């Protein structure tokens, strides 16, 4: 499924599929979203503005519907994404777990790995109209916005996670091996 925000040019891939089983068959599908990035002096305006391993904070959208992205400290306490790799715009990121940003005028896309924190809850976009701007840290137990799900990070590992049967293992190899065990809290 390809989701687009107004002005976006490509599908995004962070958590392109989030499948968590609770009890017999509670299943949720989370699809990440596409985003193009607005340009400003303090914004990330092309993939080369951020080095692999550095972090990007994805904010709201500007008046043209483009996601705003800025460089950020990875340990800032905000929801950030690691710059995982840069690939040609017509090429997918390493796996569907990665999100990506596209940039007006750039032939490349920036692949992103979420920088989630253990024991925190996150709102993750799902379904039609999803946007990277819909990712947010939320208080656990808070009802997420429409077309989003709430997940709790049960474990964060350096490498392939080993998760309980009712959790989803989400691994990343770039920019370094990292994995999460996610539990679904709620969905809208």
């Amino acid at each position: 499924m390809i989701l687009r925000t107004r002005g976006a040019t490509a599908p995004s891939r962070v958590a392109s599929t989030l499948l968590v089983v609770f009890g017999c068959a509670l299943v949720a599908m989370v699809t990440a979203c596409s985003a193009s990035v607005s340009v400003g002096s303090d914004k990330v305006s092309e993939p080369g503005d951020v080095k692999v391993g550095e972090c990007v904070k994805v904010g709201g959208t500007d008046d043209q519907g483009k996601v705003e992205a800025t460089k950020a400290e990875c340990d800032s306490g905000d929801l950030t994404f690691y710059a995982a790799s840069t690939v040609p715009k017509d090429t997918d990121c390493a796996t569907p777990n990665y999100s990506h940003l596209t940039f007006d005028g750039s032939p490349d896309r920036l692949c992103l790995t979420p920088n989630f924190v253990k024991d925190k809850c996150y709102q993750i976009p799902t379904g039609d109209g999803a946007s990277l701007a819909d990712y947010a840290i939320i208080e656990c137990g808070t009802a997420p916005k429409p077309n989003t799900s709430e997940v709790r990070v049960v474990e964060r590992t350096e490498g392939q996670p080993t998760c309980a049967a009712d959790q989803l293992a989400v691994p990343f190899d770039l920019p370094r091996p990292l994995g999460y065990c996610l539990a679904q809290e709620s969905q809208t």
Side-chain angles (χ1 to χ4, degrees), residues 38-45:
S38 65
V39 178
S41 62
D42 62 342
K43 307 278 188 264
V44 174
S45 60

Side-chain angles (χ1 to χ4, degrees), residues 44-62:
V44 174
S45 60
E46 62 181 52
D49 288 346
V50 62
K51 294 177 185 170
V52 169
E54 291 182 330
C55 283
V56 173
K57 180 179 177 185
V58 178
T61 56
D62 65 13

Side-chain angles (χ1 to χ4, degrees), residues 119-138:
D119 296 325
K120 289 208 179 243
C121 289
Y122 296 87
Q123 173 181 280
I124 297 178
T126 61
D128 293 335
S131 170
L132 278 171
D134 292 330
Y135 275 88
I137 298 173
I138 60 174

Side-chain angles (χ1 to χ4, degrees), residues 85-98:
S85 65
T86 299
V87 298
K89 201 177 268 188
D90 61 351
T91 303
D92 290 334
C93 295
T95 71
N97 290 338
Y98 295 88

Side-chain angles (χ1 to χ4, degrees), residues 110-152:
L110 180 63
C111 298
L112 303 171
T113 299
N115 182 16
F116 292 155
V117 176
K118 182 180 177 186
D119 296 325
K120 289 208 179 243
C121 289
Y122 296 87
Q123 173 181 280
I124 297 178
T126 61
D128 293 335
S131 170
L132 278 171
D134 292 330
Y135 275 88
I137 298 173
I138 60 174
E139 186 175 325
C140 294
T142 302
K145 288 184 190 179
N147 299 317
T148 66
S149 289
E150 176 192 354
V151 296
R152 182 173 43 84

Side-chain angles (χ1 to χ4, degrees), residues 2-13:
I2 296 176
L3 305 174
R4 298 185 186 275
T5 57
R6 193 171 45 148
T9 59
S12 171
R13 303 287 184 167

